[in-house]
Amino acid sequence: MQLRGPVEWALHCCAVLAGLAPDRYLPTRDLADFHGVPKEYLSKALQALSQAGIVEGTLGPAGGYRLTRAPDRITFLDVVEAVEGRAPTFVCTNIRRNFPCLTATEKSQCTEARPCAVARVMWQADRAWRDSLRSVRLSDLLKTLSTDLSPGLQRRAAAWLDEHS
Amino acid sequence: MQLRGPVEWALHCCAVLAGLAPDRYLPTRDLADFHGVPKEYLSKALQALSQAGIVEGTLGPAGGYRLTRAPDRITFLDVVEAVEGRAPTFVCTNIRRNFPCLTATEKSQCTEARPCAVARVMWQADRAWRDSLRSVRLSDLLKTLSTDLSPGLQRRAAAWLDEHS
DNA sequence: TCATTACGGATATACGGTATCCTTAAGGAT
DNA sequence: ATCCTTAAGGATACCGTATATCCGTAATGA
Ligand code: SF4
Ligand code: SF4
């Protein structure tokens, strides 16, 4: 069970986009260069964000991506689910149905609508994970970053993004 | 990001073992037959549980596995971590170090000891997930099962396990 | 002694993640 | 009107890991 590269990239890209001037578009190439990740592959993650309605892209020169709404209306869960999907981490293969001592009627009751105790516990934990991610917004990340990063670095990063427009 | 078969099997096996008479050993073959899963593969999950000290195996005829301690001292997290490992779900590849505007000293400060804001949020969610799993014990599962399952099915399951000794 | 069992190494296979390439359509600049 | 740039998305090759099986070994009780 592991989250992979694209999720991390997407989160960092959103952080960069959130710090940009409003209405400013940033192309995939710049985001890829800035993070040092393959452009074509990062593009897939950005497309996922676009399909989820978190960012929107525009074509042509001076095109690229920007956020569709304010950073305080985008949660970590939004980004993670956009890239990683909304499938629950625990998948029930319905082992129950294999029990050798089931009657036909009991076997027919083993449906998705009646999940067993094990699945309920695992899904509750899944919900706790998602609730935690939902409780942090992109604006919170920006605030943390502004205290974590030195003013000099923040200025240099902004300058780098400016000259690559 | 997905939990796979062996975790589900391990949880169900623990539930069965918890319902057994104390000091009774149940071999891998019976556990595999009861759940309808491949015996050799299930064996790997049981070995993981054994290494984690949740179950213990004994050799020879009438051998098999049993729990090492009472069901109220085994949590879901114990079982999940034994099979799935203790690695955090979010792996930080240290993208920061690729930022084009870092000085040498800043780059050297990007260590595991100083995780960035993104990683901290993801790990907090990971902790929430584990806390949720830790809060449910095997004894809780048994209690739920005893009310969920019909008395007839419980009797039949116990009988099946008895005649396969 | 013998059958049975856990244990762990080795191995084969399948699947999904990783990464790249290419085509298409659309927007802006000239 | 034309050209360049860019998102969008399909196709594909590659690789690693998960899945699954097999076998040898040691230990245990009958
Ligand atoms: S987790 Fe529950 S629902 Fe899923 S297979 Fe196991 S018993 Fe059935
Ligand atoms: S998550 Fe944070 S620590 Fe991990 S790579 Fe991204 S910036 Fe660095």
Side-chain angles (χ1 to χ4, degrees), chain A residues 125-148:
Chain A
D126 190 86
R127 222 170 298 128
W129 178 70
R130 293 187 141 82
D131 286 345
S132 177
L133 287 181
R134 201 189 341 261
S135 73
V136 183
R137 290 169 298 199
L138 226 49
S139 51
D140 300 322
L141 176 64
L142 280 190
K143 210 180 304 175
T144 308
L145 248 37
S146 72
T147 63
D148 270 22

Short mmCIF file of all heavy atoms in Angstrom, two decimals, chain A residues 125-148:
data_model
loop_
_atom_site.label_atom_id
_atom_site.label_comp_id
_atom_site.label_asym_id
_atom_site.label_seq_id
_atom_site.Cartn_x
_atom_site.Cartn_y
_atom_site.Cartn_z
N ALA A 125 -11.35 3.05 8.98
CA ALA A 125 -9.99 3.58 9.00
C ALA A 125 -9.72 4.38 7.73
O ALA A 125 -9.08 5.44 7.76
CB ALA A 125 -8.99 2.44 9.14
N ASP A 126 -10.21 3.88 6.62
CA ASP A 126 -10.09 4.59 5.35
C ASP A 126 -10.73 5.97 5.45
O ASP A 126 -10.17 6.97 4.98
CB ASP A 126 -10.76 3.76 4.25
CG ASP A 126 -10.45 4.30 2.87
OD1 ASP A 126 -9.41 3.93 2.30
OD2 ASP A 126 -11.27 5.11 2.38
N ARG A 127 -11.88 6.02 6.10
CA ARG A 127 -12.60 7.28 6.26
C ARG A 127 -11.80 8.24 7.15
O ARG A 127 -11.74 9.44 6.87
CB ARG A 127 -13.98 7.01 6.87
CG ARG A 127 -15.10 7.82 6.22
CD ARG A 127 -16.46 7.34 6.71
NE ARG A 127 -16.70 5.95 6.35
CZ ARG A 127 -17.07 4.99 7.20
NH1 ARG A 127 -17.24 5.28 8.48
NH2 ARG A 127 -17.27 3.76 6.78
N ALA A 128 -11.18 7.71 8.18
CA ALA A 128 -10.37 8.55 9.07
C ALA A 128 -9.22 9.18 8.28
O ALA A 128 -8.89 10.35 8.47
CB ALA A 128 -9.83 7.72 10.23
N TRP A 129 -8.62 8.39 7.38
CA TRP A 129 -7.51 8.88 6.56
C TRP A 129 -8.00 10.02 5.66
O TRP A 129 -7.39 11.09 5.59
CB TRP A 129 -6.97 7.72 5.73
CG TRP A 129 -5.85 8.07 4.79
CD1 TRP A 129 -4.58 8.41 5.13
CD2 TRP A 129 -5.92 8.10 3.36
NE1 TRP A 129 -3.84 8.63 3.99
CE2 TRP A 129 -4.64 8.46 2.90
CE3 TRP A 129 -6.93 7.86 2.43
CZ2 TRP A 129 -4.34 8.59 1.54
CZ3 TRP A 129 -6.64 7.98 1.08
CH2 TRP A 129 -5.36 8.34 0.65
N ARG A 130 -9.12 9.80 5.02
CA ARG A 130 -9.66 10.82 4.11
C ARG A 130 -10.11 12.06 4.87
O ARG A 130 -9.93 13.19 4.40
CB ARG A 130 -10.82 10.23 3.30
CG ARG A 130 -10.38 9.15 2.33
CD ARG A 130 -11.50 8.69 1.42
NE ARG A 130 -11.01 8.45 0.07
CZ ARG A 130 -10.40 7.32 -0.32
NH1 ARG A 130 -10.22 6.33 0.53
NH2 ARG A 130 -9.99 7.17 -1.56
N ASP A 131 -10.70 11.86 6.04
CA ASP A 131 -11.12 13.02 6.84
C ASP A 131 -9.92 13.88 7.20
O ASP A 131 -10.00 15.12 7.18
CB ASP A 131 -11.83 12.54 8.11
CG ASP A 131 -13.23 12.02 7.82
OD1 ASP A 131 -13.73 12.29 6.71
OD2 ASP A 131 -13.81 11.33 8.68
N SER A 132 -8.82 13.21 7.52
CA SER A 132 -7.61 13.96 7.89
C SER A 132 -7.11 14.77 6.70
O SER A 132 -6.72 15.93 6.86
CB SER A 132 -6.53 13.00 8.38
OG SER A 132 -5.34 13.69 8.68
N LEU A 133 -7.12 14.17 5.52
CA LEU A 133 -6.66 14.89 4.33
C LEU A 133 -7.62 16.02 3.97
O LEU A 133 -7.21 17.07 3.47
CB LEU A 133 -6.54 13.92 3.15
CG LEU A 133 -5.37 12.94 3.19
CD1 LEU A 133 -5.37 12.07 1.95
CD2 LEU A 133 -4.05 13.69 3.31
N ARG A 134 -8.91 15.79 4.24
CA ARG A 134 -9.91 16.81 3.90
C ARG A 134 -9.80 18.03 4.80
O ARG A 134 -10.21 19.13 4.43
CB ARG A 134 -11.31 16.20 4.01
CG ARG A 134 -12.36 16.96 3.23
CD ARG A 134 -13.78 16.49 3.53
NE ARG A 134 -13.85 15.17 4.14
CZ ARG A 134 -14.11 14.05 3.48
NH1 ARG A 134 -14.33 14.10 2.20
NH2 ARG A 134 -14.17 12.90 4.12
N SER A 135 -9.22 17.83 5.98
CA SER A 135 -9.17 18.92 6.95
C SER A 135 -8.06 19.93 6.67
O SER A 135 -8.00 20.98 7.31
CB SER A 135 -8.99 18.34 8.36
OG SER A 135 -7.66 17.88 8.52
N VAL A 136 -7.18 19.61 5.72
CA VAL A 136 -6.10 20.55 5.40
C VAL A 136 -6.32 21.11 4.01
O VAL A 136 -6.53 20.36 3.06
CB VAL A 136 -4.73 19.85 5.47
CG1 VAL A 136 -3.63 20.85 5.19
CG2 VAL A 136 -4.52 19.18 6.81
N ARG A 137 -6.28 22.44 3.92
CA ARG A 137 -6.51 23.08 2.64
C ARG A 137 -5.21 23.61 2.06
O ARG A 137 -4.23 23.78 2.79
CB ARG A 137 -7.53 24.22 2.80
CG ARG A 137 -8.92 23.72 3.08
CD ARG A 137 -9.83 24.85 3.50
NE ARG A 137 -9.37 25.49 4.74
CZ ARG A 137 -10.14 26.24 5.51
NH1 ARG A 137 -11.40 26.42 5.19
NH2 ARG A 137 -9.66 26.79 6.60
N LEU A 138 -5.24 23.89 0.79
CA LEU A 138 -4.06 24.41 0.10
C LEU A 138 -3.60 25.72 0.73
O LEU A 138 -2.39 26.00 0.81
CB LEU A 138 -4.39 24.62 -1.38
CG LEU A 138 -3.37 24.10 -2.39
CD1 LEU A 138 -2.97 22.68 -2.07
CD2 LEU A 138 -3.93 24.19 -3.80
N SER A 139 -4.56 26.50 1.22
CA SER A 139 -4.19 27.77 1.86
C SER A 139 -3.40 27.51 3.15
O SER A 139 -2.51 28.29 3.50
CB SER A 139 -5.45 28.58 2.17
OG SER A 139 -6.40 27.80 2.86
N ASP A 140 -3.74 26.44 3.86
CA ASP A 140 -2.97 26.09 5.06
C ASP A 140 -1.53 25.76 4.69
O ASP A 140 -0.59 26.13 5.39
CB ASP A 140 -3.61 24.89 5.77
CG ASP A 140 -5.04 25.18 6.19
OD1 ASP A 140 -5.30 26.32 6.62
OD2 ASP A 140 -5.89 24.28 6.08
N LEU A 141 -1.38 25.04 3.58
CA LEU A 141 -0.03 24.67 3.13
C LEU A 141 0.78 25.92 2.81
O LEU A 141 1.95 26.03 3.19
CB LEU A 141 -0.12 23.76 1.90
CG LEU A 141 1.19 23.36 1.26
CD1 LEU A 141 2.02 22.53 2.21
CD2 LEU A 141 0.97 22.61 -0.05
N LEU A 142 0.16 26.86 2.12
CA LEU A 142 0.85 28.09 1.78
C LEU A 142 1.34 28.81 3.02
O LEU A 142 2.45 29.33 3.08
CB LEU A 142 -0.08 29.00 0.98
CG LEU A 142 -0.25 28.68 -0.51
CD1 LEU A 142 -0.98 29.80 -1.20
CD2 LEU A 142 1.10 28.43 -1.16
N LYS A 143 0.46 28.83 4.05
CA LYS A 143 0.81 29.52 5.28
C LYS A 143 2.03 28.86 5.94
O LYS A 143 2.97 29.53 6.37
CB LYS A 143 -0.40 29.51 6.23
CG LYS A 143 -0.46 30.70 7.15
CD LYS A 143 -1.66 30.62 8.06
CE LYS A 143 -2.98 30.48 7.29
NZ LYS A 143 -4.14 30.27 8.16
N THR A 144 1.99 27.53 6.00
CA THR A 144 3.11 26.80 6.59
C THR A 144 4.39 27.05 5.82
O THR A 144 5.46 27.28 6.39
CB THR A 144 2.81 25.30 6.60
OG1 THR A 144 1.55 25.08 7.21
CG2 THR A 144 3.89 24.54 7.35
N LEU A 145 4.27 27.02 4.49
CA LEU A 145 5.44 27.22 3.64
C LEU A 145 6.05 28.60 3.87
O LEU A 145 7.28 28.76 3.87
CB LEU A 145 5.03 27.06 2.17
CG LEU A 145 5.58 25.84 1.42
CD1 LEU A 145 5.64 24.61 2.33
CD2 LEU A 145 4.73 25.52 0.20
N SER A 146 5.20 29.59 4.05
CA SER A 146 5.72 30.95 4.19
C SER A 146 6.52 31.12 5.48
O SER A 146 7.35 32.02 5.58
CB SER A 146 4.57 31.95 4.16
OG SER A 146 3.83 31.88 5.36
N THR A 147 6.26 30.28 6.48
CA THR A 147 7.06 30.35 7.71
C THR A 147 8.23 29.37 7.66
O THR A 147 9.27 29.61 8.27
CB THR A 147 6.18 30.05 8.94
OG1 THR A 147 5.70 28.70 8.84
CG2 THR A 147 5.01 30.99 9.03
N ASP A 148 8.04 28.26 6.95
CA ASP A 148 9.11 27.26 6.87
C ASP A 148 10.27 27.74 6.01
O ASP A 148 11.44 27.56 6.36
CB ASP A 148 8.56 25.94 6.28
CG ASP A 148 8.03 25.01 7.34
OD1 ASP A 148 7.71 25.50 8.44
OD2 ASP A 148 7.93 23.80 7.08
#
